[in-house]
Amino acid sequence: MTFFSVCLCALFLLGALRLRGRARSLAVLPPSDEPVHPDHRFLYPDGVELDEATRRSASRYAHAAGLEVLDLVPADYPGTDLLGLLELVDPNAYRGQFLLPARTAGTAILTTADCLRRAGHPATAFHGGKAHDRVDFARAAAELKRCAPRNTSMALAPGLRHAPLPTPERFGFLRVLLGDIAGLALLFQGLIFLYMAFLLWRAPLAGAVTIACFHAQGLIALSGLPWARAQRTKLTLFRVVHEVTSLILVVLRSKSEPRDDSKARAWYKDFEALGEDLREPTRDSCPHCEAAALEPVITLGDSFQHKPGEFHLDRCTSCGLVFQNPRLSPAGLAYHYRDFYDGTGAEQLDFVFSVNPDCYTDRARVLEPHIDPLTPPESWLDAGGGHGHFCLAAAELFPSTRFEVLDLSDAPNDAERRGWATKGHCVTLPDFANTSQDRYDIISLSHCMEHVPDPPAELAAAAKLLNPGGHLFIEVPDPTCKFGRWLGRFWLPWFQPQHLNLYPAETLAELCSSHGLQVIETDHIDAHQPTDLHYAILVALSSLAPPTNAPWRKPADWADNLIHSLVWLAGLPFLGVALLIDRLVLAHFAHRPGWSNTYRLVARKELSQ
Amino acid sequence: MSDLSITAKYTAHAWVFGKFECAELFDTEEAKFLFDVTNAALDLTSGKAAPSLPHSLVQRHTVIDRLLSDWLLERGGKGQVLELAAGLSARGVRFTRNPEVSYTEVDLPAVLGRKRELLARTTQGQDAALRPNLHFISGDLTHLDLVALVDPERPLFLITEGLLMYLDADAQRLLWQRAAALCSQATSAYAFDLVPACEQPLAGRGGRLLDIGLRLVTGGRSFAKDERTRQDLSTDLLDAGFDSVTTHDPKDNYDRWNLSHPRVPTQQLLFHATRTGSTK
């Protein structure tokens, strides 16, 4: 017990030092006599008073710093909320974290007219303090940051007064900031408090020291900051009382606002009523080489959404292609893709795609050796690029390149509106190639080929759309990876039912050649994603505790939510250990044949074509 | 050329340590902490004869300031300056007090974003950030169209301070070719620092510690080293298209650079390449 107490104290104190650094990097707006910039707009909920001095200082700060979005933290922001905000955001690095979801104090935001226009509703509703729902305000902040990913920051506004966040809206507000882990975070916080109470009961001295360290966090983090004097005192004296009370109130009085998924539920109901055939006939030959030499690989269910159905993968012993058999029909694909990348799944996927921005830059760097640095590519089409995360990241490396994104969903429209891509095309690559006159220096297909029903058609389209001498970049999971066999249905790259075709590198290279695309680089080592074990844990946890808010399942009650949170909380240590093994151990074995789970191809279109 | 902002933070306080004007605009407690901890670690692990990192940096910054001042003086105080990988240097702020100087700073978006926010913390910094003759351009240098950033009809003073040591020989030569193309107008000049690996003392514990630290915070990147001497480097610069190259070792002539005589050893080497005629 003493050991855990010491660990907890150490964590509190180290956390306090971290928070101290963050609190100090929160800029305090200097006063300004300059008028508000004509391009600046202020958003705040009904009830917040935003005086002229604050507007002027915020406007001048944002103008000088080149910001499009500036979240204003009131000087009297409650200490517990302030520490919570600083846990979520490092003001020092916030602007550079272009894919990090937005953080907000929920009081007032400065933005530009253009950014406000692009963000649309609900942000526009808060212009001039006309709306009051704080959950919507957090949503507005989130969309504004997406519209200004590299020009969003926060600063302390000394003249701004805090308007308390109504308790019933607290959980909803937190949910917008943290996504689906909001409940988990509250549960974790509750467990910490319970453990401290238990310590106080069974080992009073250790318990008292632990609580003292918890209280000292505020003192350490906010000492030396003149604007934080009141918060510091309150945190030092009453933190546990404040936080426990707040937690109980959030649990008891949170406005139960389940996501309005009535339309989605109606769609699933109608779809089931139609009784459409979700599968094509079972094949007895390989769709690539037509060889009638198939061997079964694995049969598994939907590991992520847990929609009904089982999916079978076969391997062609002639060319090595692993494919779904029977394959989903267009109706089946529509059913299984729905609410994964968009709809109710959009927020969660946005979080997943924002976790590791470096992976996008790494992909873009693969092309560097094949490009003349003095003549960077003029145009780049990212096919299957969804919301344009890759385009946004790669634009840093190739600032003068025009990035366009293509996807079957309507996500490219968002990418264009937010400015993540110059242009978005909501169409398949073959259809785009048939209609577009545009030509590109580079086309990237990152984790796209395995999703499309007709890969040769994609390659033919890419070949048509590339300029002579242009490059095609492909990144796909490697079906020959040994982890697929070792981890079975828990190996993420099987990714059923979405992965229809998994080509071995040699077969895909041949397919490229047959379309006039000469493969000039194949990489298995740098392409490897150190995720096998911890993603397997994620798949296992997802099987034990599937998503509770899915419109194709029965609505969850509080018990379902509690069980879901407990399972995921219990899985966290395993997830942590698996992550460490992936990163620190297995990543170093990627050079061994069959140990890399992903490969990349760079192909060049012949000049004569 | 990825995010080396940790070195930007260290040098931000090094300029305060060197008492450069306006350096305090970019100083933070974090930078000071990083500076103090790094120096303490180096002091503990290096011998007395090892060159002092902060003093060497101050010398480098001073000499480049002086070369730029002299160049502007020759041109009646007018000129355009392009500083690549400017980091948290206050040089742009200092020199743009003269409205006749057009100064463009280039760095990664995260670094320049932070730089502008640091400036915006104070009224003085805000005034500087909003000067029409001070420009901030974000982007990775490797593929950034640098030609678009300068007026090709006017001579240019180009600076890359604290950058070349991270690039391998091929990347350096490529950058110098681009630099020579930018400096196509007569009397254009290019200043940078680079101590050839063969002139550097064998890395002691301090050097190794610095190297390990740098690799940790930059995802494995560190100083690039090769066998070229300062003569080889000068030849590479001439091959790239410059007409003359001068090297300056600050400790050879403290008076010329108006440097105080430090009691600690330093090591620094500045290259000053110029164009005498137009290639047009």
Side-chain angles (χ1 to χ4, degrees):
Chain A
M1 197 177 289
T2 312
F3 173 75
F4 283 116
S5 172
V6 169
C7 288
L8 205 53
C9 289
L11 282 177
F12 285 149
L13 295 177
L14 286 173
L17 292 175
R18 180 165 150 268
L19 292 172
R20 182 184 164 89
R22 292 182 170 197
R24 271 156 178 69
S25 63
L26 183 64
V28 180
L29 296 180
S32 171
D33 295 328
E34 297 288 324
V36 171
H37 193 280
D39 196 31
H40 286 162
R41 304 285 182 272
F42 290 91
L43 316 184
Y44 46 94
D46 182 23
V48 169
E49 295 288 328
L50 196 62
D51 61 21
E52 185 60 19
T54 300
R55 288 171 191 258
R56 286 180 177 216
S57 56
S59 177
R60 177 82 168 160
Y61 180 91
H63 189 205
L67 293 167
E68 291 177 88
V69 178
L70 178 63
D71 197 85
L72 302 177
V73 182
D76 62 346
Y77 199 49
T80 49
D81 291 350
L82 182 63
L83 292 191
L85 183 67
L86 292 171
E87 282 285 359
L88 292 180
V89 62
D90 177 3
N92 201 23
Y94 186 44
R95 189 174 183 176
Q97 294 166 320
F98 55 90
L99 286 179
L100 185 81
R103 308 301 184 209
T104 177
T107 310
I109 297 174
L110 173 150
T111 186
T112 61
D114 175 59
C115 194
L116 181 60
R117 180 187 57 73
R118 287 186 288 120
H121 185 78
T124 46
F126 289 94
H127 182 208
K130 296 188 202 87
H132 66 271
D133 189 318
R134 298 296 187 89
V135 182
D136 271 351
F137 189 79
R139 288 194 186 106
E143 190 55 28
L144 284 167
K145 179 158 193 295
R146 290 188 197 108
C147 291
R150 288 196 170 90
N151 290 320
T152 296
S153 191
M154 60 173 52
L156 188 101
L160 183 62
R161 298 270 79 75
H162 169 65
L165 178 63
T167 304
E169 292 178 17
R170 270 188 172 262
F171 184 67
F173 189 86
L174 198 63
R175 200 179 169 115
V176 174
L177 298 188
L178 293 181
D180 286 343
I181 61 167
L184 208 60
L186 288 185
L187 184 66
F188 186 68
Q189 199 184 11
L191 289 176
I192 295 276
F193 291 144
L194 282 176
Y195 181 69
M196 287 200 289
F198 176 72
L199 263 183
L200 207 55
W201 171 45
R202 296 304 301 264
L205 182 62
V209 171
T210 309
I211 291 172
C213 286
F214 183 64
H215 279 240
Q217 271 202 320
L219 185 70
I220 295 169
L222 302 179
S223 65
L225 297 172
W227 54 268
R229 210 167 286 141
Q231 291 97 319
R232 194 170 57 234
T233 309
K234 282 184 186 169
L235 281 171
T236 309
L237 297 176
F238 309 113
R239 185 174 181 195
V240 158
V241 178
H242 269 290
E243 295 216 5
V244 171
T245 313
S246 171
L247 183 64
I248 291 170
L249 286 175
V250 167
V251 172
L252 295 180
R253 292 182 51 197
S254 263
K255 193 164 64 183
S256 173
E257 61 162 37
R259 206 193 314 252
D260 180 16
D261 56 6
S262 53
K263 279 184 189 166
R265 284 190 183 278
W267 187 92
Y268 284 102
K269 203 173 170 187
D270 292 348
F271 188 90
E272 281 164 22
L274 283 174
E276 287 210 49
D277 197 354
L278 301 186
R279 294 169 200 247
E280 294 177 346
T282 304
R283 292 187 64 105
D284 52 14
S285 63
C286 171
H288 175 69
C289 68
E290 298 295 337
L294 306 182
E295 63 176 17
V297 177
I298 195 165
T299 301
L300 65 169
D302 179 343
S303 310
F304 304 94
Q305 291 188 302
H306 301 279
K307 286 177 179 170
E310 280 207 323
F311 310 93
H312 178 72
L313 294 175
D314 277 333
R315 176 182 284 112
C316 170
T317 53
S318 173
C319 69
L321 174 71
V322 173
F323 64 99
Q324 194 183 67
N325 194 19
R327 200 172 68 177
L328 283 172
S329 64
L333 288 170
Y335 174 78
H336 282 285
Y337 269 82
R338 191 177 168 96
D339 293 310
F340 194 93
Y341 296 98
D342 51 16
T344 56
E347 274 181 27
Q348 201 172 11
L349 258 289
D350 190 43
F351 173 76
V352 171
F353 288 139
S354 67
V355 168
N356 183 16
D358 288 348
C359 73
Y360 305 113
T361 320
D362 289 345
R363 283 176 200 156
R365 282 192 192 281
V366 172
L367 272 299
E368 277 195 313
H370 309 290
I371 295 169
D372 178 359
L374 299 180
T375 51
E378 281 182 21
S379 53
W380 188 318
L381 178 68
D382 187 38
H387 286 87
H389 291 78
F390 171 80
C391 296
L392 179 65
E396 182 170 318
L397 195 59
F398 298 99
S400 57
T401 302
R402 187 181 81 250
F403 282 93
E404 297 183 14
V405 63
L406 179 146
D407 202 281
L408 189 53
S409 69
D410 58 0
N413 288 335
D414 286 337
E416 187 177 329
R417 176 176 57 79
R418 290 168 183 163
W420 291 19
T422 315
K423 212 168 176 184
H425 308 280
C426 304
V427 63
T428 64
L429 192 62
D431 287 347
F432 183 65
N434 286 336
T435 55
S436 175
Q437 299 302 312
D438 294 337
R439 293 295 176 265
Y440 299 87
D441 292 333
I442 298 177
I443 293 177
S444 48
L445 289 158
S446 302
H447 294 272
C448 174
M449 288 291 278
E450 64 272 35
H451 290 259
V452 296
D454 189 359
E458 299 287 316
L459 291 179
K464 186 177 176 186
L465 288 164
L466 276 173
N467 284 319
H471 292 86
L472 173 69
F473 168 82
I474 299 175
E475 182 175 303
V476 282
D478 188 345
T480 64
C481 176
K482 289 177 177 172
F483 282 95
R485 204 167 61 239
W486 293 340
L487 295 173
R489 70 187 183 96
F490 299 111
W491 193 52
L492 182 109
W494 293 135
F495 211 77
Q496 289 304 299
Q498 293 190 20
H499 284 183
L500 306 178
N501 311 283
L502 294 160
Y503 283 86
E506 299 75 19
T507 310
L508 190 55
E510 282 169 20
L511 195 59
C512 287
S513 299
S514 68
H515 288 88
L517 299 161
Q518 196 60 42
V519 173
I520 52 176
E521 184 185 337
T522 306
D523 167 57
H524 285 81
I525 300 170
D526 292 335
H528 172 71
Q529 300 182 349
T531 54
D532 292 303
L533 284 191
H534 73 275
Y535 276 10
I537 301 280
L538 282 174
V539 173
L541 289 173
S542 176
S543 302
L544 289 169
T548 54
N549 55 353
W552 53 92
R553 297 166 64 89
K554 72 174 178 61
D557 57 20
W558 67 270
D560 294 329
N561 286 325
L562 183 67
I563 291 169
H564 180 267
S565 295
L566 284 173
V567 168
W568 280 87
L569 200 63
L572 281 181
F574 298 100
L575 202 57
V577 171
L579 184 102
L580 288 177
I581 295 173
D582 273 332
R583 296 273 163 91
L584 301 179
V585 183
L586 298 179
H588 299 289
F589 289 87
H591 63 279
R592 289 190 167 198
W595 282 63
S596 167
N597 55 21
T598 308
Y599 67 89
R600 293 167 175 159
L601 296 181
V602 179
R604 190 166 181 267
K605 182 176 174 178
E606 289 160 19
L607 280 166
S608 55
Q609 286 190 59
Chain B
M1 285 187 224
S2 85
D3 182 3
L4 295 170
S5 58
I6 196 93
T7 57
K9 285 173 191 163
Y10 177 90
T11 50
H13 193 74
W15 312 144
V16 176
F17 165 78
K19 299 187 173 60
F20 288 95
E21 277 185 86
C22 305
E24 72 286 353
L25 293 175
F26 302 103
D27 194 25
T28 58
E29 280 193 31
E30 190 191 5
K32 183 178 184 311
F33 177 76
L34 190 69
F35 182 82
D36 290 340
V37 167
T38 307
N39 291 344
L42 288 175
D43 287 347
L44 282 172
T45 52
S46 305
K48 280 186 178 175
S52 157
L53 178 62
H55 289 88
S56 301
L57 291 175
V58 169
Q59 289 185 355
R60 169 182 105 184
H61 207 62
T62 307
V63 172
I64 294 178
D65 268 13
R66 185 62 191 272
L67 289 170
L68 176 56
S69 297
D70 292 349
W71 185 81
L72 287 169
L73 206 62
E74 285 168 15
R75 308 187 42 74
K78 296 179 186 175
Q80 62 170 334
V81 185
L82 177 64
E83 181 164 4
L84 307 180
L88 299 180
S89 155
R91 186 179 290 120
V93 173
R94 284 197 295 278
F95 279 88
T96 49
R97 283 188 296 211
N98 173 1
E100 303 284 358
V101 174
S102 169
Y103 204 109
T104 303
E105 298 191 356
V106 178
D107 213 318
L108 293 169
V111 177
L112 275 192
R114 186 64 191 149
K115 182 169 195 171
R116 292 189 69 173
E117 280 204 68
L118 291 172
L119 276 175
R121 292 179 307 174
T122 57
T123 309
Q124 185 196 355
Q126 290 179 349
D127 292 342
L130 293 172
R131 282 177 197 151
N133 56 335
L134 179 58
H135 315 283
F136 301 99
I137 304 293
S138 303
D140 191 295
L141 283 180
T142 318
H143 303 288
L144 194 67
D145 182 10
L146 299 176
V147 178
L149 306 180
V150 299
D151 177 356
E153 303 301 320
R154 298 166 61 204
L156 172 75
F157 194 95
L158 177 66
I159 301 167
T160 56
E161 181 179 3
L163 172 67
L164 271 298
M165 65 277 267
Y166 300 108
L167 307 183
D168 61 29
D170 288 339
Q172 286 176 1
R173 291 187 191 108
L174 187 65
L175 181 63
W176 293 338
Q177 282 173 28
R178 296 170 76 191
L182 286 170
C183 297
S184 60
Q185 283 289 330
T187 73
S188 290
Y190 171 37
F192 67 91
D193 59 292
L194 184 63
V195 180
C198 58
E199 294 184 24
Q200 292 172 21
L202 286 175
R205 277 178 300 173
R208 287 199 294 272
L209 187 75
L210 188 66
D211 194 53
I212 291 167
L214 201 60
R215 282 178 198 277
L216 279 175
V217 297
T218 60
R221 278 171 286 274
S222 183
F223 302 120
K225 290 184 177 176
D226 58 65
E227 299 303 314
R228 290 172 301 163
T229 62
R230 62 172 76 182
Q231 186 55 47
D232 296 332
L233 294 170
S234 299
T235 306
D236 282 347
L237 278 162
L238 294 172
D239 290 345
F242 287 98
D243 296 319
S244 71
V245 180
T246 319
T247 53
H248 304 287
D249 187 339
K251 63 178 176 287
D252 287 348
N253 197 342
Y254 289 120
D255 295 335
R256 178 183 170 194
W257 306 111
N258 204 15
L259 293 165
S260 56
H261 294 243
R263 292 179 183 179
V264 289
T266 58
Q267 184 164 40
Q268 200 56 264
L269 187 65
L270 280 298
F271 287 78
H272 184 208
T274 55
R275 294 293 295 264
T276 52
S278 171
T279 55
K280 284 183 169 181

